[in-house]
Amino acid sequence: MWLKSCRSIYDFKKNYGLGNSMKICAFVNEKVGYLTLKEILKKKIEVPLVFTSSLSRKSRISDWFDIKSHKNEFKRTKIVRIENPKEKKVFDKINQFAPDLIIVISWSQIIPKQIIEIPKYGVVSSHYSALPKRRGGAPLFWAIYDNLSNLGISIYYMEKGIDDGDIIDQTKIKINPKDNMTKLIQKIYSKYPKFYANTLKKIINGKSTRKPQDHKKATYTKARKPEDGFIDFRQDSKKLDRFVMALSPPYPSAFFEATDKNGYKMIFKIINSDKKNGKLYFNGYLEK
C-alpha cells in the first residue's frame, strides 16, 4: 500500500497538493454517524459516496437512524444502503470511485481487507476507548458496567486487526456515577461529531499525526448480543444496577422472564433501576 511508504498525508500534499480535492467515501451508521456527517459537511469537506445499513438490519443496530431518509440534507452525496461491506457490489462501487480516503463512523461490521487496501491514505475509523486499552466489542456497555470515570474516544487508521492501527487523535468524555447509557449517548452526541470532523480536517490539511499503538499494553472487551441482556440475579445489587444502566435505551435493555400462576411467561424489559433504602427498584414493561 502507498500508505505504508508515506509517513503522512502531509508528505503527499506537500508534493502533490491535494487539499480539499481529496476523494472521500464513508461507512456511516446510527444517529451519531448522521450528526457527524453533518459536521463534516459544515467543514466544507465533501463526501460524495456514503454506505449505510439496509432497513433489514434495523433490529441489530441499537441507535438506529435511517440516514438515507434524510438524503435531502446531503444533496451532493450518494447514499447507498447495504447488508454487509463484504458484498461484491460494495467493493465494485468503491473501486470505481477510487477514493483517496475512506472514513468509518459508528459501524460494527468488519471492513474487509480488500476494501482497506483501496484508498491510498487508508481507512480512518474510531473506537470508544483510550486505545490500546479496551479494544474489541461493546465498549460503551463495558464502560458503564465497569464503572469507568471516563470514556475514551480514539480516532485511528484501520488495519486488519482489532482496533490496532496507528492512533491519530484521542479525547475523553466524563462519565458520572449516575450516568446510564441514555445519558452517555447524549454526551457522545455533543462531543463526538465535532471531534471527528475537526480531526478529519486536520488529516486533509496534513496537520495530523499518527502514533503506533503499544500492543503490549492492549486489553480487550467482549462483544455482546441482545440475548446477553438476560439478567443474572446472582450478582450483587451494585452489579445488577450497573448492568441495567449499561443497557438502558437506545440499547436493547436488560430483561428477565416473568411467570404468572398459570405458568404463562412474558419478558420484563428493565428501562432503569433505582436504589432506595437498601433495595433495588426496577422500572420497565412487559413484552410478549
Side-chain angles (χ1 to χ4, degrees):
M1 280 179 67
W2 172 261
L3 180 63
K4 296 299 184 183
S5 62
C6 181
R7 288 189 63 195
S8 69
I9 288 176
Y10 173 75
D11 295 323
F12 191 88
K13 266 192 67 182
K14 184 170 61 176
N15 294 320
Y16 297 91
L18 276 179
N20 285 336
S21 65
M22 184 179 291
K23 292 175 68 178
I24 301 173
C25 78
F27 290 86
V28 182
N29 261 338
E30 299 190 324
K31 186 173 180 180
V32 70
Y34 160 75
L35 296 173
T36 304
L37 192 57
K38 290 180 68 173
E39 285 294 329
I40 288 170
L41 296 181
K42 285 180 184 179
K43 298 286 184 184
K44 309 299 182 184
I45 300 171
E46 295 293 333
V47 187
L49 177 61
V50 169
F51 296 100
T52 192
S53 285
S54 65
L55 296 175
S56 65
R57 298 199 71 245
K58 181 176 180 179
S59 62
R60 305 179 195 176
I61 298 174
S62 296
D63 196 17
W64 170 261
F65 192 91
D66 185 13
I67 295 171
K68 189 164 184 177
S69 68
H70 291 256
K71 61 184 179 181
N72 289 338
E73 298 179 46
F74 311 108
K75 294 181 179 179
R76 299 179 66 177
T77 297
K78 182 178 182 180
I79 301 174
V80 181
R81 290 193 183 114
I82 63 172
E83 289 291 328
N84 196 303
K86 294 180 180 179
E87 295 174 56
K88 185 178 182 298
K89 73 171 185 179
V90 177
F91 175 79
D92 290 344
K93 285 182 181 294
I94 294 176
N95 210 30
Q96 183 179 20
F97 180 66
D100 298 305
L101 184 72
I102 293 176
I103 60 176
V104 180
I105 305 167
S106 203
W107 194 279
S108 61
Q109 294 170 304
I110 294 173
I111 308 296
K113 181 182 177 182
Q114 63 176 352
I115 288 180
I116 293 176
E117 292 180 342
I118 291 175
K120 58 174 66 79
Y121 304 124
V123 179
V124 172
S125 187
S126 66
H127 185 68
Y128 291 127
S129 80
L131 292 173
K133 299 293 186 181
R134 306 177 79 85
R135 296 173 179 172
L140 297 183
F141 169 87
W142 292 112
I144 292 178
Y145 184 73
D146 292 339
N147 203 16
L148 300 188
S149 58
N150 291 287
L151 174 72
I153 301 176
S154 301
I155 297 179
Y156 67 98
Y157 286 105
M158 184 177 284
E159 299 290 347
K160 62 181 180 179
I162 300 174
D163 307 319
D164 62 349
D166 292 354
I167 294 171
I168 304 167
D169 203 356
Q170 293 178 311
T171 189
K172 61 185 178 181
I173 294 174
K174 182 174 177 56
I175 305 176
N176 295 321
K178 292 293 185 180
D179 283 349
N180 59 11
M181 187 61 68
T182 308
K183 293 179 181 178
L184 181 56
I185 289 289
Q186 291 298 321
K187 289 183 176 183
I188 290 171
Y189 291 163
S190 297
K191 189 161 189 175
Y192 177 101
K194 291 181 180 178
F195 174 63
Y196 196 106
N198 288 336
T199 302
L200 181 59
K201 188 74 173 180
K202 291 177 184 177
I203 292 170
I204 291 172
N205 290 336
K207 296 180 180 180
S208 65
T209 59
R210 57 186 301 162
K211 178 183 178 182
Q213 294 188 42
D214 186 346
H215 302 303
K216 293 180 181 179
K217 295 182 179 179
T219 60
Y220 294 84
T221 56
K222 185 180 179 181
R224 293 176 53 81
K225 299 176 182 179
E227 54 265 32
D228 294 328
F230 203 134
I231 202 163
D232 182 356
F233 289 117
R234 294 172 297 180
Q235 300 180 92
D236 63 40
S237 61
K238 290 182 179 179
K239 286 291 186 181
L240 285 171
D241 189 30
R242 302 218 66 79
F243 187 80
V244 171
M245 291 170 69
L247 288 171
S248 65
Y251 274 34
S253 300
F255 65 93
F256 61 87
E257 286 187 345
T259 307
D260 69 9
K261 67 178 182 179
N262 300 310
Y264 183 74
K265 295 181 180 180
M266 295 183 72
I267 297 296
F268 187 85
K269 290 287 188 77
I270 309 169
I271 300 301
N272 56 50
S273 59
D274 190 19
K275 294 181 71 175
K276 293 180 181 178
N277 301 320
K279 295 181 179 180
L280 187 60
Y281 292 82
F282 289 149
N283 179 32
Y285 61 94
L286 288 169
E287 181 178 84
K288 291 185 179 181

